[in-house]
């Protein structure tokens, strides 16, 4: 069951940038932590970044300093700005909602994913 709609993926050269968007539905978006996971072929889905309901962020070491998460509660949208992209960032990126405002770990709401391909 799709809870969010991700967009913004595409093909980009190494070193380039993309901005992903995740549009949510419902009236309680601001109460929950939000974040992104990604999954490359042959891999398990891995944590990328999260943002709490109050704006505290956590990044995977692999993306720290390159990716930035933000949220616009009025628009019920979470963004992932991805800079300095590397081929190893290639994956399907999934938006998720947590069970609380503090963490996305254990969350049970997911989007359909958007493909990011980093290649020259």
């Amino acid at each position: 069951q799709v809870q969010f709609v991700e967009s913004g993926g595409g093909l980009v050269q190494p070193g380039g940038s993309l901005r992903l968007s995740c549009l949510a539905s419902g009236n309680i978006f601001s109460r929950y932590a939000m974040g992104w996971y990604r999954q490359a072929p042959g891999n398990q889905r891995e944590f990328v970044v999260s943002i709490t309901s109050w704006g505290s962020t956590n990044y995977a070491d692999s993306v720290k300093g390159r990716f930035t998460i933000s949220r616009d509660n009025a628009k019920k949208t979470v963004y992932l700005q991805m800079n300095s992209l590397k081929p190893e960032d290639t994956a399907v990126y999934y938006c998720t909602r947590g069970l609380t405002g503090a963490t996305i770990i254990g969350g049970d709401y997911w989007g359909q994913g958007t493909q990011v391909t980093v290649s020259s």
Side-chain angles (χ1 to χ4, degrees), residues 42-66:
N43 291 355
Q44 294 277 69
R45 193 172 296 187
E46 66 175 342
F47 170 80
V48 177
V49 62
S50 66
I51 183 167
T52 68
S53 62
W54 58 89
S56 181
T57 58
N58 284 300
Y59 294 88
D61 289 342
S62 59
V63 306
K64 189 176 182 179
R66 300 186 299 118

Side-chain angles (χ1 to χ4, degrees), residues 37-102:
Y37 286 78
R38 66 188 182 187
Q39 187 170 27
N43 291 355
Q44 294 277 69
R45 193 172 296 187
E46 66 175 342
F47 170 80
V48 177
V49 62
S50 66
I51 183 167
T52 68
S53 62
W54 58 89
S56 181
T57 58
N58 284 300
Y59 294 88
D61 289 342
S62 59
V63 306
K64 189 176 182 179
R66 300 186 299 118
F67 290 11
T68 303
I69 191 171
S70 61
R71 64 191 298 164
D72 185 333
N73 289 338
K75 297 178 67 174
K76 297 186 292 183
T77 302
V78 62
Y79 303 98
L80 183 62
Q81 179 66 47
M82 305 186 296
N83 299 327
S84 302
L85 283 162
K86 305 175 180 179
E88 51 262 45
D89 295 318
T90 296
V92 178
Y93 284 71
Y94 296 91
C95 181
T96 190
R97 193 201 81 178
L99 297 176
T100 70

